[in-house]
Each structure stands twice: as structure tokens, then as C-alpha cells.
Amino acid sequence: SAYLKLTPEGFEIVAMYRTTRIKWSDVEGFYVGSVSGAKMIGIAYSPGYQKQKAGRAVASLLSGMEGAIADSYTAPVEEVCRALNEWKARFGSPRR
């Protein structure tokens, strides 16, 4: 019921049967952080990304992260974060 799928267009998070899709161009990068002692991958959104702006502001005030990916996978959170940043670097720039 939980997975993270990376594609050339972006990434898809499924958690508790809810799907969220985000384009690489909507993200500045990823970092490892924690919320209440639990490690998570923080999502730093691009300045021009306008979706869920109010919700992201509230999340940032409460947790210090605009968005987050829970540590729900078999790979260590640092490894998942590194893979996300590598895919972002490879596919996140507009193609010419």
C-alpha cells in the first residue's frame, strides 16, 4: 500500500492508498530531516510551484518541512534521498 515511483517526468508517492504525483520541475531538491525524531525526506519546492501553497506553509510552520516523504521503504532514508536528487539532476532540467 506504500511505494515511491521515479519516472523521467517526476515521482509518485503512494501511501495509505493515496497517490501524489510531483514533477521534477516543481522541486528544488530533497534533504534528510526529522519530524518528532522520525527521519524523513524533506521536499524543497521550487519558488514558482503554486499548488497547495497554504498547506505547505502550515506544514513548514509545524514541522520545518514544506513537504516530506516518510521513511516507509526498505532502503535507508539517506539512500532514497540521494536517488531522488540524482533523478532530479538528470531529468529536472527542461529539455532543449
Side-chain angles (χ1 to χ4, degrees):
S1 67
Y3 68 82
L4 174 64
K5 180 180 177 181
L6 310 180
T7 71
E9 293 75 36
F11 60 101
E12 178 178 285
I13 304 166
V14 175
M16 301 182 81
Y17 305 102
R18 182 172 173 232
T19 302
T20 303
R21 290 179 187 87
I22 301 171
K23 295 178 185 177
W24 297 120
S25 59
D26 295 334
V27 174
E28 285 289 309
F30 304 90
Y31 59 93
V32 176
S34 68
V35 175
S36 299
K39 276 188 177 180
M40 296 192 165
I41 299 169
I43 303 171
Y45 287 94
S46 298
Y49 184 64
Q50 297 299 310
K51 293 182 181 177
Q52 301 171 349
K53 200 170 184 177
R56 291 185 292 126
V58 170
S60 185
L61 284 172
L62 295 175
S63 70
M65 297 180 179
E66 260 191 297
I69 301 170
D71 183 14
S72 303
Y73 310 104
T74 55
V77 69
E78 294 83 3
E79 187 177 319
V80 176
C81 185
R82 186 172 36 257
L84 284 161
N85 280 312
E86 288 171 1
W87 277 70
K88 163 67 178 157
R90 183 172 179 195
F91 298 108
S93 301
R95 298 185 195 236
R96 300 185 207 308

